[in-house]
Coordinates of all heavy atoms in Angstrom, one line a residue:
T1235 N 33.0 42.2 101.5 CA 32.3 41.0 101.5 C 32.0 40.5 102.9 O 32.9 40.4 103.7 CB 33.1 39.9 100.8 OG1 33.3 40.3 99.4 CG2 32.3 38.6 100.7
N1236 N 30.7 40.4 103.2 CA 30.3 39.8 104.5 C 29.9 38.3 104.3 O 28.9 38.0 103.8 CB 29.0 40.6 105.0 CG 28.7 40.2 106.4 OD1 28.8 39.0 106.8 ND2 28.2 41.2 107.2
D1237 N 30.9 37.5 104.7 CA 30.7 36.0 104.4 C 29.5 35.5 105.2 O 28.9 34.5 104.8 CB 32.0 35.3 104.8 CG 33.1 35.6 103.8 OD1 32.8 35.8 102.6 OD2 34.3 35.6 104.2
D1238 N 29.2 36.0 106.4 CA 28.1 35.5 107.2 C 26.8 35.7 106.5 O 25.8 35.0 106.7 CB 28.1 36.2 108.5 CG 29.3 35.8 109.4 OD1 29.9 34.7 109.2 OD2 29.6 36.6 110.3
E1239 N 26.7 36.8 105.6 CA 25.4 37.1 105.0 C 25.5 36.8 103.5 O 24.5 37.1 102.8 CB 25.0 38.5 105.3 CG 24.8 38.8 106.7 CD 24.2 40.2 107.0 OE1 23.7 40.8 106.0 OE2 24.2 40.7 108.1
D1240 N 26.6 36.3 103.0 CA 26.8 36.1 101.5 C 26.4 37.4 100.7 O 25.7 37.3 99.7 CB 25.9 34.9 101.0 CG 26.4 33.6 101.5 OD1 27.6 33.4 101.6 OD2 25.5 32.7 101.7
V1241 N 27.0 38.5 101.2 CA 26.7 39.8 100.5 C 28.1 40.5 100.3 O 28.9 40.6 101.2 CB 25.8 40.7 101.4 CG1 25.8 42.1 100.8 CG2 24.4 40.1 101.5
K1242 N 28.3 40.9 99.1 CA 29.4 41.8 98.8 C 28.8 43.1 98.3 O 28.1 43.2 97.3 CB 30.3 41.2 97.7 CG 31.5 42.0 97.2 CD 32.2 41.3 96.1 CE 33.4 42.1 95.6 NZ 34.1 41.5 94.5
D1243 N 29.1 44.2 99.1 CA 28.4 45.4 98.7 C 29.3 46.6 99.1 O 30.3 46.5 99.8 CB 27.1 45.5 99.5 CG 26.1 46.5 98.9 OD1 26.4 47.0 97.8 OD2 25.0 46.6 99.5
T1244 N 28.8 47.8 98.7 CA 29.5 49.0 98.9 C 29.2 49.6 100.3 O 28.0 49.7 100.6 CB 29.1 50.0 97.8 OG1 29.4 49.5 96.5 CG2 29.9 51.3 98.0
M1245 N 30.2 50.0 101.0 CA 30.1 50.6 102.3 C 30.6 52.0 102.2 O 31.4 52.4 101.2 CB 30.8 49.8 103.4 CG 30.2 48.4 103.6 SD 30.9 47.6 105.0 CE 30.0 48.5 106.4
I1246 N 30.3 52.9 103.1 CA 30.7 54.3 103.1 C 31.8 54.5 104.2 O 31.6 54.2 105.4 CB 29.5 55.2 103.3 CG1 28.4 54.9 102.3 CG2 30.0 56.7 103.3 CD1 28.8 55.2 100.9
G1247 N 32.9 55.0 103.7 CA 34.0 55.4 104.7 C 34.3 56.9 104.5 O 33.4 57.7 104.2
K1248 N 35.5 57.3 104.7 CA 35.9 58.6 104.5 C 37.0 58.7 103.4 O 37.7 57.7 103.2 CB 36.5 59.2 105.8 CG 35.5 59.4 106.9 CD 34.4 60.5 106.5 CE 33.5 60.7 107.7 NZ 32.4 61.8 107.3
H1249 N 37.1 59.8 102.7 CA 38.1 60.0 101.7 C 39.5 60.0 102.2 O 39.8 60.6 103.3 CB 37.8 61.3 101.0 CG 38.4 61.4 99.6 ND1 39.7 61.4 99.4 CD2 37.8 61.6 98.4 CE1 39.9 61.6 98.1 NE2 38.8 61.7 97.5
P1250 N 40.4 59.2 101.6 CA 41.8 59.2 102.1 C 42.3 60.7 102.1 O 42.0 61.4 101.1 CB 42.5 58.4 101.1 CG 41.5 57.4 100.6 CD 40.2 58.2 100.6
V1251 N 43.1 61.0 103.1 CA 43.6 62.4 103.1 C 44.7 62.7 102.1 O 44.9 63.8 101.7 CB 44.2 62.7 104.5 CG1 43.0 62.7 105.6 CG2 45.3 61.8 104.9
F1252 N 45.3 61.6 101.6 CA 46.2 61.7 100.5 C 46.3 60.4 99.8 O 46.0 59.3 100.3 CB 47.6 62.2 100.9 CG 48.4 61.2 101.7 CD1 49.2 60.2 101.0 CD2 48.5 61.2 103.1 CE1 49.9 59.3 101.8 CE2 49.2 60.3 103.8 CZ 50.0 59.3 103.1
S1253 N 46.7 60.5 98.5 CA 47.0 59.3 97.8 C 48.3 59.5 97.0 O 48.6 60.6 96.5 CB 45.9 58.9 96.8 OG 45.6 60.0 95.9
I1254 N 49.1 58.4 96.9 CA 50.3 58.5 96.1 C 50.2 57.5 94.9 O 50.0 56.3 95.1 CB 51.5 58.1 97.0 CG1 51.7 59.2 98.1 CG2 52.8 58.0 96.2 CD1 52.8 58.9 99.1
L1255 N 50.3 58.0 93.7 CA 50.2 57.2 92.5 C 51.5 57.3 91.8 O 51.8 58.2 91.0 CB 49.1 57.8 91.6 CG 47.6 57.4 92.0 CD1 47.2 58.0 93.3 CD2 46.7 57.8 90.9
D1256 N 52.4 56.3 92.1 CA 53.7 56.3 91.5 C 53.8 55.0 90.6 O 53.8 53.9 91.1 CB 54.8 56.2 92.6 CG 56.2 56.2 92.1 OD1 56.4 55.9 90.9 OD2 57.1 56.6 92.9
P1257 N 53.8 55.2 89.3 CA 53.8 54.0 88.4 C 55.0 53.1 88.6 O 54.9 51.9 88.2 CB 53.8 54.7 87.0 CG 54.4 56.0 87.2 CD 53.9 56.5 88.5
L1258 N 56.1 53.5 89.2 CA 57.2 52.6 89.4 C 56.8 51.5 90.4 O 57.4 50.4 90.3 CB 58.4 53.4 90.0 CG 59.1 54.5 89.1 CD1 60.1 55.3 89.9 CD2 59.7 53.8 87.9
L1259 N 55.8 51.8 91.2 CA 55.4 50.7 92.2 C 54.6 49.6 91.5 O 54.3 48.6 92.1 CB 54.5 51.4 93.3 CG 55.3 52.4 94.2 CD1 54.3 52.9 95.2 CD2 56.5 51.7 94.9
T1260 N 54.2 49.8 90.3 CA 53.4 48.8 89.6 C 54.2 47.8 88.8 O 53.6 46.9 88.2 CB 52.4 49.5 88.6 OG1 53.0 50.0 87.5 CG2 51.6 50.6 89.3
L1261 N 55.5 48.0 88.7 CA 56.3 47.2 87.8 C 56.4 45.7 88.2 O 56.7 44.9 87.3 CB 57.7 47.8 87.7 CG 57.9 49.1 87.0 CD1 59.3 49.7 87.1 CD2 57.5 48.9 85.5
T1262 N 56.1 45.4 89.4 CA 56.2 44.0 89.8 C 54.8 43.3 89.9 O 54.7 42.2 90.2 CB 56.8 43.8 91.2 OG1 56.1 44.6 92.2 CG2 58.3 44.3 91.1
V1263 N 53.7 44.1 89.5 CA 52.4 43.5 89.5 C 52.2 42.5 88.4 O 52.6 42.8 87.3 CB 51.3 44.7 89.4 CG1 49.9 44.1 89.3 CG2 51.5 45.7 90.5
P1264 N 51.7 41.3 88.7 CA 51.5 40.3 87.6 C 50.7 40.8 86.4 O 49.8 41.7 86.6 CB 50.8 39.2 88.3 CG 51.1 39.3 89.8 CD 51.3 40.8 90.0
R1265 N 51.0 40.3 85.3 CA 50.4 40.8 84.0 C 48.9 40.7 84.1 O 48.2 41.7 83.7 CB 51.0 39.9 82.9 CG 50.5 40.4 81.5 CD 51.1 39.4 80.4 NE 50.7 39.9 79.1 CZ 51.5 40.8 78.4 NH1 52.6 41.2 78.9 NH2 51.1 41.1 77.2
M1266 N 48.3 39.6 84.5 CA 46.9 39.5 84.5 C 46.2 40.5 85.4 O 45.2 41.1 85.1 CB 46.5 38.1 84.9 CG 44.9 37.9 84.9 SD 44.2 38.1 83.3 CE 44.6 36.6 82.5
Q1267 N 46.9 40.8 86.6 CA 46.4 41.8 87.5 C 46.4 43.2 86.9 O 45.5 44.0 87.2 CB 47.1 41.7 88.8 CG 46.5 42.6 89.9 CD 47.2 42.4 91.3 OE1 48.1 41.5 91.4 NE2 46.9 43.3 92.2
V1268 N 47.4 43.5 86.2 CA 47.5 44.8 85.5 C 46.4 45.0 84.6 O 45.7 46.0 84.6 CB 48.9 45.0 84.8 CG1 48.8 46.2 83.9 CG2 50.0 45.1 85.8
F1269 N 46.1 44.0 83.7 CA 45.1 44.2 82.7 C 43.7 44.1 83.3 O 42.7 44.7 82.8 CB 45.3 43.2 81.6 CG 46.5 43.5 80.7 CD1 47.5 42.6 80.6 CD2 46.6 44.7 80.1 CE1 48.7 42.9 79.9 CE2 47.7 45.1 79.4 CZ 48.8 44.2 79.2
S1270 N 43.5 43.2 84.3 CA 42.2 43.2 85.0 C 41.9 44.5 85.7 O 40.7 45.0 85.7 CB 42.1 42.0 85.9 OG 43.0 42.1 87.0
G1271 N 42.9 45.1 86.3 CA 42.7 46.4 86.9 C 42.4 47.5 85.9 O 41.5 48.3 86.2
A1272 N 43.1 47.5 84.8 CA 42.8 48.4 83.8 C 41.3 48.3 83.2 O 40.7 49.2 82.9 CB 43.8 48.3 82.6

C-alpha cells in the first residue's frame, strides 16, 4: 500500500529461497485471522 498515492497494488520481488510451513506455529493465531486467511 502506497499511502501517498492511495494505491494498494501488486509489486514484483524475488521468490523466497526457502519457506517453512509448520502448523504448530499457527496454534496461537486468533480465530478470525485463521478463517480469514483460509
Side-chain angles (χ1 to χ4, degrees):
T1235 300
N1236 189 324
D1237 289 328
D1238 292 338
E1239 299 189 14
D1240 287 329
V1241 172
K1242 179 180 177 182
D1243 201 5
T1244 301
M1245 299 188 72
I1246 305 297
K1248 293 293 183 181
H1249 200 294
V1251 295
F1252 70 83
S1253 60
I1254 295 175
L1255 280 66
D1256 186 337
L1258 294 173
L1259 296 179
T1260 71
L1261 287 171
T1262 59
V1263 177
R1265 185 181 184 89
M1266 181 60 79
Q1267 189 175 348
V1268 169
F1269 290 120
S1270 63

